[in-house]
Amino acid sequence: QVLLVESGGGLVQAGGSLRLSCAASGRTFSGWATDWFRQAPGKEREFVAVIGWSGGSTYYADSVKGRFTISRDTAKNTVYLQMNSLKPEDTAVYYCAAASSFNRRTNSGMDYWGKGTLVTVSS
C-alpha cells in the first residue's frame, strides 16, 4: 500500500514562512517525481511545484516562483516545500502527489496522492 503523508500546515501571518513535508512509504519511488498541488476554497486544485527523483530538476508555478522551494531527502523518502513570503492567496489545502514522470504536473497525471495539509495565511 502506497502512503503519502503531508505535515507542517498551519496558521501563519502574511509575510511568514512554513515548511511542508511529504513522507512516502509503501514502495520504492526510485525514478519518480513528487509534486505539490493546492486547492483553495471554491477553486480547482492547481499545480505548485515538482521535483525529480534526484532532486536536480525542479519546476514551479509562476505564482510561487521565487517564494517557494521544493527539495528532497532521498534517504528519508521525504519531499519538502519551503514557503516564504506567504500571502493570503496562498491559503489552501496542500497536497503532495507522486508521478512516474517529471513533466505531467496535472491532476490527472498523478499516480498517488496524499490527503493534504491545510495552510492558512492571515492578512
Side-chain angles (χ1 to χ4, degrees):
Q1 180 182 358
V2 174
L3 195 61
L4 298 175
V5 179
E6 303 94 336
S7 61
L11 174 64
V12 63
Q13 289 188 333
S17 298
L18 280 176
R19 189 178 80 156
L20 305 183
S21 299
C22 172
S25 63
R27 65 156 291 160
T28 298
F29 283 95
S30 178
W32 286 53
T34 304
D35 296 59
W36 283 97
F37 286 74
R38 67 185 182 186
Q39 187 167 21
K43 295 188 177 181
E44 294 187 353
R45 188 160 53 188
E46 64 176 3
F47 167 80
V48 175
V50 60
I51 188 166
W53 170 250
S54 67
S57 297
T58 59
Y59 185 85
Y60 299 90
D62 288 343
S63 58
V64 306
K65 201 173 295 182
R67 299 188 298 121
F68 290 10
T69 302
I70 190 170
S71 61
R72 177 191 293 275
D73 185 331
T74 304
K76 294 183 178 180
N77 223 7
T78 299
V79 170
Y80 304 98
L81 186 68
Q82 178 67 44
M83 306 186 296
N84 299 329
S85 302
L86 282 161
K87 306 174 181 180
E89 50 264 43
D90 293 318
T91 294
V93 176
Y94 284 72
Y95 300 88
C96 73
S100 58
S101 171
F102 178 82
N103 293 314
R104 292 185 180 174
R105 305 171 201 160
T106 62
N107 288 296
S108 60
M110 299 298 107
D111 294 280
Y112 301 102
W113 289 92
K115 293 186 177 181
T117 185
L118 177 63
V119 172
T120 304
V121 184
S122 63
S123 57

